[in-house]
Amino acid sequence: MNDLNQTLFLLINAPAHPAHFMIELAIFCAKYLILLFPLIMVIGWVKGSENTKKLFFMAGMSAVLGLIVNVIFGLVWYHPRPFAIHLGTNFLPHAPDSSFPSDHLTFIWAVAISLSLSRSTRPLGLLLVLLGLPVAWARIYLGVHYPFDMLGAFIVALAAAILCKEKAALIVEPLFRRAMTIYQRVLSLVCPKAK
């Protein structure tokens, strides 16, 4: 499996002298597309009904759960990044921590899949799932991840999103109630006339 992972990586990874435009595009996708996700979640929370707020809160909880799983993976099994074993080319400075699974994609896909699991947010969720694909490509192209890191991220994100939805009463609901209480208190201090 490792040979297949490395072979696929070398097919996607940037050549030694790539076009400047390709590197700039990949850096944008790898580093900055992820910033849309917290922004979308804040807008969904602020503008949405209480039910919509709950769905966005659940998406955030899915991302947190997925990232906790990734930390555990990293503690239990160190998988060196491509540049750490001098494989391919690297155009994005990165710490030589464990590559599997990708934290960026776990966050992106946990939010996206979670939103995809509910009818009212499904169109947005599916769009966000697709938005993860250029991020996955870019992080491989720039030399900081393998293709299997992305597959692992998808599996972790899917499991986290399903678990949060299936166990919402146990995992999400108590924290959501507290978050709503805090939000309403802050809102009443900032905008005393807001309801």
Side-chain angles (χ1 to χ4, degrees):
M1 290 296 276
N2 196 46
D3 288 345
L4 176 60
N5 199 20
Q6 291 185 4
T7 300
L8 292 172
F9 167 77
L10 290 171
L11 288 173
I12 300 169
N13 184 227
H17 302 289
H20 180 71
F21 167 76
M22 290 299 292
I23 292 297
E24 292 300 316
L25 175 63
I27 288 173
F28 173 78
C29 292
K31 291 177 69 174
Y32 301 111
L33 278 182
I34 195 172
L35 299 177
L36 286 174
F37 287 74
L39 178 63
I40 288 167
M41 291 176 71
V42 167
I43 292 169
W45 175 272
V46 172
K47 297 286 189 184
S49 65
E50 184 169 333
N51 186 57
T52 302
K53 283 177 173 50
K54 189 182 296 184
L55 295 176
F56 278 91
F57 187 81
M58 187 183 308
M61 290 292 298
S62 299
V64 169
L65 180 59
L67 292 174
I68 289 170
V69 170
N70 284 6
V71 168
I72 294 168
F73 265 114
L75 292 173
V76 175
W77 179 56
Y78 174 75
H79 189 262
R81 291 180 184 273
F83 61 82
I85 60 169
H86 308 289
L87 182 68
T89 57
N90 176 255
F91 292 95
L92 185 64
H94 201 290
D97 54 351
S98 185
S99 73
F100 183 87
S102 166
D103 289 337
H104 275 73
L105 265 293
T106 298
F107 175 82
I108 286 171
W109 278 335
V111 169
I113 292 168
S114 180
L115 293 174
S116 298
L117 295 177
S118 298
R119 185 176 294 133
S120 64
T121 53
R122 185 166 295 141
L124 174 61
L126 293 174
L127 177 65
L128 296 179
V129 168
L130 293 177
L131 195 57
L133 295 176
V135 178
W137 161 78
R139 296 188 74 78
I140 299 167
Y141 185 81
L142 295 170
V144 295
H145 276 292
Y146 300 95
F148 284 11
D149 298 343
M150 305 310 167
L151 179 60
F154 182 81
I155 292 167
V156 169
L158 179 64
I162 290 172
L163 181 65
C164 282
K165 183 167 179 67
E166 294 296 316
K167 302 294 182 184
L170 181 65
I171 298 172
V172 178
E173 193 67 36
L175 293 173
F176 175 72
R177 288 286 140 222
R178 287 186 184 156
M180 279 298 290
T181 300
I182 293 167
Y183 173 71
Q184 288 166 350
R185 284 182 185 164
V186 170
L187 192 62
S188 68
L189 292 173
V190 175
C191 306
K193 293 182 181 179
K195 293 184 179 180

